[in-house]
Amino acid sequence: MRVLGIETSCDETAAAVVARTGDGDDFSGRILSNVVLSQLAEHTPYGGVVPEIAARAHVETLDGLIAQALAEAGCGLDDLDGVAATAGPGLIGGLLVGLMTGKAIAAAANKPFVAVNHLEAHALTARLTDGLAFPYLLLLVTGGHTQIVKVEDVGRYRRWGTTVDDAAGEAFDKVAKMLGLGWPGGPAVEAQALKGDAARFAFPRPMTGRAGCDFSFSGLKTAVRIEAQRIAPLSETDVADLCAAFQAAVVDSLADRTKNALSRFTGETGAAPVLVVAGGVAANQAVRARLEALAVMHGAAHGAGLVAPPLNLCGDNAAMVAWAGCERLARGATDTLDAPARARWSLEDVEAA
């Protein structure tokens, strides 16, 4: 089957066509087109995403991106087997743009429609790229979410841990802002960290050593602010060292909580877990390297491995939305054209396919 995917949940406007072949565990996915238009220039002057500007930009560009995605895939609306659009969670104005557009196309072309949960799309990306079978363990790290989830099937998710305050990506953005690195913060902090000395500052590793899989990053962010104020004015070396020490603390925290989850997975299922990392922060090379090492160490006893999407599928994109649509359509699950946009929509509230 071939599905058109539409993504407008935040500040990327995206459209893609993805194909799925096979049934059950014998399946494969292929990206036929994946077009993403960033709104970086529109939001940078404000130091973050402005919802009204984001929604207006989606309106202005979405139709053209859909036409481009269809052209690059070499297909028309009649060649599609369904249309999928992100329905939440996200900025409600942007969600409405993509959701209404997807519904209109589905209605006009008489195609099935799927309202996709953005987090589920991230969770299922590893099946598109690597053909993973269920179940697997997911570390989802984005600007708004940091969660550890047992992925049992499409629509069956067990959240084992989440952040009690800031998400990891949010902490990156806030540290970048306080250090004058601009927005988006994640890539800027990572670039500075490569030049810095992580051992110069002894920042806390919140929650590490405790039972469970929850995260906390607010105290770490505050520790960076206090240290930056103490040594101000900051030199270029100071900024690089602060970034390196902060990033090292984040990586340690993610690894510690994920280690607990790997042990829990094996203890509860008796199976060898595969660790998947997804979301925007999954593009961070220090995070990937540490998680890969953790997976290898755990795999020595339990056969675990690390699966990470290619960098162009870490951030918001429509290929993952189209694939989530494929997964649901393959199970006969569709949505009506009155499916609502949802600013908040947890993985645990997603209905089973």
Side-chain angles (χ1 to χ4, degrees), residues 6-271:
I6 298 170
E7 160 61 28
T8 57
S9 66
C10 193
D11 62 326
E12 275 87 23
T13 312
V17 178
V18 169
R20 186 186 192 276
T21 57
D23 297 308
D25 291 335
D26 184 19
F27 71 92
S28 63
R30 186 161 60 98
I31 299 173
L32 304 181
S33 64
N34 187 27
V35 184
V36 181
L37 182 62
S38 173
Q39 298 176 6
L40 183 62
E42 287 87 344
H43 300 288
T44 294
Y46 305 97
V49 178
V50 181
E52 294 82 359
I53 293 176
R56 193 176 307 121
H58 292 315
V59 170
E60 293 172 351
T61 60
L62 181 57
D63 288 354
L65 262 65
I66 291 172
Q68 181 180 345
L70 290 170
E72 291 184 7
C75 65
L77 295 181
D78 290 341
D79 301 312
L80 298 174
D81 296 288
V83 179
T86 302
L91 301 177
I92 198 69
L95 289 169
L96 285 169
V97 174
L99 191 60
M100 296 304 293
T101 301
K103 290 177 180 179
I105 293 173
N110 194 29
K111 301 295 181 180
F113 177 73
V114 180
V116 171
N117 179 292
H118 181 86
L119 303 181
E120 180 174 55
H122 276 301
L124 297 175
T125 298
R127 285 173 57 80
L128 166 63
T129 58
D130 291 76
L132 287 191
F134 297 115
Y136 51 85
L137 187 66
L138 169 69
L139 173 61
L140 179 62
V141 275
T142 71
H145 301 85
T146 301
Q147 301 178 0
I148 291 181
V149 180
K150 181 187 177 187
V151 181
E152 297 180 337
D153 204 336
V154 177
R156 289 176 53 196
Y157 307 101
R158 303 289 180 263
R159 191 176 69 185
W160 287 355
T162 188
T163 179
V164 299
D165 40 57
D166 291 349
E170 180 183 1
F172 269 97
D173 285 340
K174 289 181 176 178
V175 166
K177 185 174 183 179
M178 73 175 67
L179 297 180
L181 297 178
W183 176 87
V189 170
E190 182 179 12
Q192 289 293 321
L194 290 172
K195 303 181 290 185
D197 177 11
R200 179 179 169 189
F201 302 104
F203 290 141
R205 271 68 171 161
M207 307 293 282
T208 57
R210 299 188 189 183
C213 305
D214 285 337
F215 302 87
S216 172
F217 296 103
S218 181
L220 170 60
K221 175 196 67 183
T222 300
V224 176
R225 176 177 56 80
I226 291 172
E227 193 63 29
Q229 291 174 341
R230 184 185 70 83
I231 64 175
L234 301 178
S235 67
E236 291 184 5
T237 298
D238 294 333
V239 170
D241 292 347
L242 287 165
C243 287
F246 163 76
Q247 180 174 272
V250 171
V251 170
D252 284 349
S253 178
L254 292 174
D256 179 85
R257 316 316 290 156
T258 302
K259 180 177 65 176
N260 288 355
L262 287 166
S263 296
R264 176 177 173 178
F265 189 103
T266 301
E268 290 191 3
T269 68

